[in-house]
Amino acid sequence: MTYISSTRQPEPGPRQTVSRGAECPPGGLESSAVNGAANDSNVVPITAGHTARQGGFRRADTFLPAPEIPAKGKKSTPTAGKVRADALRMLGCVRIATVRQMAEVITAEEADGRSYVRRAMNRLAELGLAETNGKAGKHPIWNLTSAGQKALADGNELPPRPRASTGAKAVKAGFGPHGVAVTDMILAYGGRKHLTGWQVEVNHAIKETGLSFNTDAVFALPTKTSEVRLFELDNGTMSQARLAREVWDYERYAGHRVWEGARGTIGNTFPFWQRHRYTRSQTFPRLHVVLGGKEEHLLDNRLLALADDVKGIAVAVWVNTLPRLQRGEPWHEIGVDDPDRRRERYPEPVGR
């Protein structure tokens, strides 16, 4: 996440204990649409045992077309054109990925489809639609070219994303492993079923205060109370203090209020995010922080340190490690949404 903040971290409020969340990666579309607040209430102390439970979602068209299930006794070979189209769609959502990650989504479960994907990507490279600019370990990292993005837009396959970058500059600059880890996080949380509901590197900014940051990933799969969920991934490259500052930035963003009306003459104020960004949400979107890039015992220490650093934060924050998320283990709740406390911390804007 790009950090550009000129504001100061507020003093933490009442101390909270770390709780273990009840949510796991979303299941199929048959999950019932339950109130997000109801999910938040199903938490227990971190010291108690807990069984993961699926969160509830409304129906949403966020599926990448699923591979066809072959008839019994017959082999299913995906067509080259379909693999290329699915690869373009996936890279349009997650920006960068390896062949392994694309095969996990595009080909049938329990099948090793890397050879199909590798041939498809080589053909897309010949057509000038995809390219590699670096590696994650020994595996090439793929991204769309500008021509590939245009082809995807011309096909009307995804919602318009005019400001989306190809990811090439980030990979060339050496940030490819972080992007690959973000893709791993996306696959671990939503899997193959909800891929097209994601956007990466989404900017959140308030011009009046100078606060600006990029959220690693935003997941659009609405519940009754919120239309999106926010995701930050730390791949073990930033200091603990900076990670905490980035989490506090979400409270600053949620706490900023604006006057009703173009000139602020009506007399009421509203949260900036609810008036100008997430207009169909009743509560500020939950922030999910995922920790990776280190050995598991070090990630567990980092999780506890982050929980201590953000005690008293007035937005909903859930945290997990990438290995635990990939195993389907539950989240830990380290922050609770509290609009009343945010209202006390952040004063009314000056009237015009």
Side-chain angles (χ1 to χ4, degrees), residues 9-31:
Q9 177 174 322
E11 292 297 324
R15 300 177 69 84
Q16 298 176 346
T17 57
V18 181
S19 300
R20 180 170 288 186
E23 179 186 284
C24 272
L29 288 184
E30 298 305 318
S31 301

Side-chain angles (χ1 to χ4, degrees), residues 84-334:
R84 290 198 297 270
D86 285 346
L88 282 174
R89 275 190 288 263
M90 179 171 175
L91 289 176
C93 296
V94 303
R95 197 172 65 166
I96 66 175
T98 63
V99 164
R100 171 189 62 80
Q101 291 171 324
M102 288 186 278
E104 182 179 334
V105 173
I106 294 171
T107 58
E109 294 186 51
E110 307 299 330
D112 186 353
R114 285 176 292 180
S115 60
Y116 295 114
V117 175
R118 193 173 291 111
R119 286 196 293 270
M121 297 312 300
N122 289 335
R123 179 55 181 158
L124 289 173
E126 292 174 1
L127 296 171
L129 303 178
E131 63 184 2
T132 61
N133 290 286
K135 292 185 177 182
K138 61 180 181 179
H139 303 289
I141 300 172
W142 287 91
N143 61 268
L144 296 182
T145 62
S146 297
Q149 285 184 320
K150 186 177 185 303
L152 194 61
D154 291 345
N156 199 29
E157 291 290 337
L158 293 174
R161 297 172 180 177
R163 296 184 180 180
S165 68
T166 63
K169 290 182 179 179
V171 178
K172 290 177 181 178
F175 301 121
H178 178 269
V180 169
V182 170
T183 301
D184 276 333
M185 173 189 71
I186 289 172
L187 297 181
Y189 187 84
R192 60 201 297 147
K193 293 185 176 180
H194 303 284
L195 190 64
T196 57
W198 292 86
Q199 281 186 271
V200 297
E201 291 298 317
V202 178
N203 183 254
H204 291 83
I206 302 175
K207 184 178 179 180
E208 292 80 0
T209 65
L211 179 65
S212 178
F213 56 87
N214 288 341
T215 301
D216 283 327
V218 175
F219 185 29
L221 192 59
T223 66
K224 287 184 177 179
T225 59
S226 185
E227 58 194 279
V228 302
R229 299 189 179 196
L230 310 174
F231 287 77
E232 282 293 341
L233 179 127
D234 168 42
N235 203 32
T237 57
M238 70 177 73
S239 68
Q240 189 68 46
R242 182 181 174 187
L243 176 60
R245 286 199 305 270
E246 294 194 346
V247 174
W248 278 105
D249 264 354
Y250 284 89
E251 188 197 78
R252 299 185 186 100
Y253 186 86
H256 184 68
R257 301 179 69 84
V258 292
W259 287 99
E260 177 70 358
R263 297 186 179 180
T265 57
I266 296 179
N268 296 321
T269 62
F270 294 86
F272 172 88
W273 63 268
Q274 198 169 40
R275 181 60 57 184
H276 297 291
R277 192 59 183 261
Y278 301 115
T279 58
R280 298 189 301 275
S281 296
Q282 299 175 26
T283 60
F284 185 73
R286 181 187 300 152
L287 173 62
H288 297 73
V289 181
V290 179
L291 307 175
K294 295 180 179 292
E295 296 179 6
E296 278 205 65
H297 71 281
L298 297 177
L299 294 178
D300 290 338
N301 293 340
R302 199 163 175 82
L303 187 155
L304 293 174
L306 179 62
D308 188 61
D309 288 340
V310 302
K311 278 187 173 71
I313 198 168
V315 292
V317 183
W318 286 24
V319 63
N320 209 343
T321 67
L322 184 56
R324 294 182 187 279
L325 180 61
Q326 291 172 325
R327 294 196 295 265
E329 297 182 20
W331 297 78
H332 301 296
E333 183 182 59
I334 62 174

